[in-house]
Amino acid sequence: MRDVTPAGGHVQRCLLTLLALGATCVPIATAQTAQDFSVRATATVPAGTTIARVALPAATIAALRTPDGGDLRVFNAAGQLLPYALINAATQPQTRPDTAGQRLLVLPIHSGSSDATATAGNAPTLRIIEGPQRRVIEYSAADAPGKAKAPPAAAEVRGWLFDTRSIDSELRAVELEATLPAATIVKVSLAASSDLKSWRNLASDVPVFEFPSADASAGAGPVNRRINLPAGTRLKDQYLRLTWSGAGAGALPVTALRAIGSGDVAPVPPVVLDLGPPASTSEDAAQWTLPSALRAQGLRLSTNATNALMPVRISTRARAGEPWRVVATSVVYRLAGADGVANVNPSQPLPYALEREVRVEAQPGYKLSGVPLILALEYPPLQALFVATGQGPFTVASGKAGLASAALPVATVMPGYKVADEFALSVLQAQPEPGSVAATGRPAGAGAPGGNAMTTDWLNRTTLLWGVLVLAVLVLGGLALSLLRSPAKR
């Protein structure tokens, strides 16, 4: 009878060795370090910073492998993985600045005519005075016969009129040019009219004032000459009336009114990745392979051909062999302008996500011959918001396939979050590491424009460790099989 106990012991020892090797290799293989990523950028965070806000470089965005960018990772100097959120800098609320507009001179509004009173002879008079708070009715009886008539008094100024008929733009406020009564709060009201009969109220009882400073060395005291207008106010072909109360005797000494409009705010520009000429081209179509899986928000097609125009159709697919899906049409042109500056087509928003491959083909009846195409993609200007745990410098890493999204909601990263709190943080810049990014700004090893940037994803520490583990399994499995087949010693 054969004794298989020694062989069984050898097999048991081999299996135990295999399990021990697997137990040690799996944690190593699944651990994430900054060196596992093809693109790394370093950010220096000021001491005492709790939550850092770092703008992602173009190379980092180019190496992202998921449509939402959740495969990004942030490490501290000790290699610890840090929690983070992604924000789009283009969504930051912008305050439009004031722009000084037209200066409007005053036109006095009198309460009545002294000349009319003088020519009325000895007849009784009735005068109605419209004020901001009340209506005053004055009645004077006829003078007695032979009584000497007093000289007429000067007409009282009851308000100021401004001609705003030529102002086309939207206004947000007006500012008074006036010598305000010292240490007095004057309440002013504004109304607009196109016919000087029907008035539309714009502002009521707005306080304007000028107080001296309690400390002469501190400069001027509190002052306000500004009257804010309702949003969307336009005064084209209208008049503006200013009335007041609390100014004491006499008219409010206003000399002019300055219209205040809203200035333009420059939008935050997108991150542009220039893919250059196509990887493959024919007389009918040109094809590119995108380096980033992040969803693009705009597409820029251009040509360097002079005085050229080409209608095109844009298609996409995930991989070779799949059918193309048309996502947009466009017209690429470069036309000579009268001033010598070329007129080129603008970038095109992308309502649909692009897959890994993009194809641009001439529309039926046309050929791309003589119209070389260049492609660039616009991506949202992403910023990483992370908890600055441990010591810096901090590393923002991308360019590793197969990772689950680790991006958290902003409210999770910032406890007690209120809307737009993240934009109150200072923006820090991350500098790409020279060893991880080629001089072109593309991930190292990504190849020429339009090349497949995924070719280097598998060549990293994690995959190599898994390869060693699989090789060890094969070797130990072969050893176990040979021991089972060998004759047992008697």
Side-chain angles (χ1 to χ4, degrees), residues 124-415:
T125 60
L126 177 69
R127 183 169 63 172
I128 301 175
I129 303 173
E130 295 284 350
Q133 302 293 334
R134 59 183 179 173
R135 174 183 295 173
V136 179
I137 302 177
E138 296 181 355
Y139 175 76
S140 355
D143 293 334
K147 182 179 179 180
K149 183 173 180 65
E156 183 180 4
V157 176
R158 303 295 299 175
W160 299 113
L161 189 71
F162 302 91
D163 187 356
T164 59
R165 291 175 297 172
S166 62
I167 299 179
D168 294 321
S169 59
E170 181 178 313
L171 299 182
R172 62 164 45 167
V174 293
E175 288 189 358
L176 299 178
E177 292 185 13
T179 303
L180 298 177
T184 302
I185 298 177
V186 181
K187 295 181 180 180
V188 298
S189 299
L190 287 175
S193 174
S194 58
D195 57 7
L196 299 179
K197 293 191 300 181
S198 301
W199 294 90
R200 173 172 55 94
N201 186 54
L202 298 177
S204 298
D205 294 336
V206 178
V208 293
F209 49 84
E210 184 172 5
F211 287 87
S213 175
D215 183 3
S217 62
V223 60
N224 177 54
R225 291 187 174 87
R226 183 186 179 102
I227 307 168
N228 290 322
L229 301 176
T233 297
R234 291 184 178 274
L235 298 177
K236 174 70 175 174
D237 297 328
Q238 297 186 66
Y239 294 92
L240 193 64
R241 182 184 67 184
L242 172 70
T243 55
W244 60 88
S245 63
L252 183 67
V254 177
T255 56
L257 198 69
R258 176 72 67 179
I260 305 296
S262 300
D264 295 327
V265 177
V268 179
V271 174
V272 179
L273 298 183
D274 185 8
L275 305 185
S280 62
T281 185
S282 66
E283 64 177 9
D284 296 318
Q287 187 173 330
W288 289 263
T289 301
L290 306 187
S292 177
L294 183 69
R295 178 165 179 171
Q297 66 181 29
L299 179 144
R300 297 184 184 182
L301 273 172
S302 60
T303 181
N304 53 18
T306 304
N307 232 30
L309 184 146
M310 179 62 61
V312 297
R313 184 168 54 192
I314 303 166
S315 306
T316 186
R317 67 182 181 185
R319 59 188 60 86
E322 292 187 356
W324 292 101
R325 176 172 58 93
V326 178
V327 294
T329 59
S330 184
V331 178
V332 183
Y333 57 86
R334 185 182 183 87
L335 304 175
D339 54 358
V341 178
N343 181 21
V344 299
N345 57 287
S347 63
Q348 179 169 344
L350 286 174
Y352 304 104
L354 295 178
E355 301 289 351
R356 194 68 180 174
E357 297 183 358
V358 173
R359 174 184 173 91
V360 178
E361 55 185 330
Q363 295 211 19
Y366 295 91
K367 301 291 183 182
L368 292 182
S369 302
V371 186
L373 297 179
I374 299 171
L375 176 64
L377 292 178
E378 298 176 351
Y379 291 92
L382 294 183
Q383 297 174 349
L385 200 72
F386 63 88
V387 181
T389 305
Q391 298 296 318
F394 297 87
T395 301
V396 179
S398 62
K400 178 177 170 60
L403 295 181
S405 177
L408 300 172
V410 175
T412 302
V413 177
M414 300 182 69

Side-chain angles (χ1 to χ4, degrees), residues 43-60:
T44 301
V45 176
T49 300
T50 302
I51 298 175
R53 176 185 172 196
V54 176
L56 300 187
T60 299

Side-chain angles (χ1 to χ4, degrees), residues 101-117:
Q102 188 174 341
R103 184 174 183 266
L104 306 168
L105 297 177
V106 296
L107 300 171
I109 303 175
H110 295 290
S111 58
S113 173
S114 59
D115 293 338
T117 305

Side-chain angles (χ1 to χ4, degrees), residues 407-451:
L408 300 172
V410 175
T412 302
V413 177
M414 300 182 69
Y417 171 78
K418 295 186 291 293
V419 176
D421 275 355
E422 66 272 31
F423 298 115
L425 301 174
S426 300
V427 181
L428 305 176
Q429 302 299 320
Q431 301 300 324
E433 294 183 6
S436 66
V437 181
T440 59
R442 296 183 176 84

Side-chain angles (χ1 to χ4, degrees), residues 43-103:
T44 301
V45 176
T49 300
T50 302
I51 298 175
R53 176 185 172 196
V54 176
L56 300 187
T60 299
I61 291 178
L64 292 173
R65 297 289 178 256
T66 56
D68 62 354
D71 55 302
L72 185 84
R73 296 294 186 267
V74 181
F75 301 89
N76 61 15
Q80 181 183 357
L81 198 60
L82 303 181
Y84 75 95
L86 284 176
I87 60 175
N88 185 349
T91 63
Q92 178 172 352
Q94 300 286 343
T95 301
R96 300 176 66 181
D98 287 348
T99 55
Q102 188 174 341
R103 184 174 183 266

